Amino acid sequence: MDDLTIARRSLLTAPLLAALPIAGAGAAGVDPGMTIVVPPDRIPWAPLYDFPTDSAEQAKMFGDIAQPGQYFVLIRWHPGFMSAPHWYETDRLCVVVSGTWWVASGEDFAPESTVPAPAGSFVRRVARTPHYDGVKRGEKEPAVIAISGQGPITFHNVQPGTKGWREV
């Protein structure tokens, strides 16, 4: 092989060889410095406020509801439990991930007046307005709700001194 053939072959293959690291970069997986993935079995579920065991849990996924800035939490309501009427300082943007979430507005607790929000529903909780929600007894599964908003927020029970939850 002469020098001209080697030079020509190098010119033709150099761009292909240079592209190999780029083409293979996607096969390496996710860089945890750029994309954070939390599988379902690793979601950090914890009790919600002082609610009874197996009534409701939360998973803090991003930020902190008690600190300034954006937060993102998951709430899981189990059948037979609802929150007492309460409000928060800022809007909360909610998407029902699974199950049916039963929601209502107002200061008077009337679970029979709640409206179903099935999986895929969007619910906006307007700042400083009383509301309550949960999952009615008889539902086959818990409801999981993804909630985002701006902190800090505090759970303001409409009836201070009473429990923040109700068994229904």
Side-chain angles (χ1 to χ4, degrees):
M1 208 179 283
D2 64 12
D3 288 341
L4 183 58
T5 304
I6 293 172
R8 196 177 312 154
R9 186 173 290 156
S10 295
L11 283 173
L12 292 173
T13 58
L16 295 173
L17 293 173
L20 282 177
I22 295 169
V30 173
D31 179 338
M34 294 186 271
T35 303
I36 293 107
V37 176
V38 180
D41 63 340
R42 304 284 310 264
I43 291 177
W45 293 108
L48 179 64
Y49 305 121
D50 60 351
F51 291 17
T53 304
D54 296 327
S55 63
E57 297 93 26
Q58 67 177 337
K60 298 175 183 178
M61 305 305 294
F62 178 82
D64 185 340
I65 64 172
Q67 299 298 318
Q70 183 180 7
Y71 64 84
F72 183 85
V73 297
L74 296 174
I75 303 291
R76 180 169 53 198
W77 279 106
H78 293 275
F81 292 93
M82 291 188 156
S83 61
H86 64 283
W87 57 272
Y88 298 103
E89 293 82 0
T90 60
D91 284 8
R92 288 168 58 99
L93 307 176
C94 313
V95 174
V96 182
V97 176
S98 64
T100 299
W101 189 34
W102 293 83
V103 300
S105 301
E107 294 185 3
D108 297 323
F109 185 72
E112 65 281 357
S113 298
T114 56
V115 175
S121 297
F122 171 79
V123 176
R124 177 180 168 209
R125 294 298 201 178
V126 177
R128 301 188 173 274
T129 62
H131 59 272
Y132 53 97
D133 48 66
V135 177
K136 290 183 175 182
R137 183 173 305 286
E139 290 287 333
K140 294 182 184 345
E141 65 180 332
V144 175
I145 303 94
I147 302 174
S148 183
Q150 292 293 317
I153 64 163
T154 301
F155 180 94
H156 295 275
N157 193 336
V158 170
Q159 298 176 335
T162 65
K163 296 176 186 171
W165 56 274
R166 303 283 187 269
E167 193 166 356
V168 294

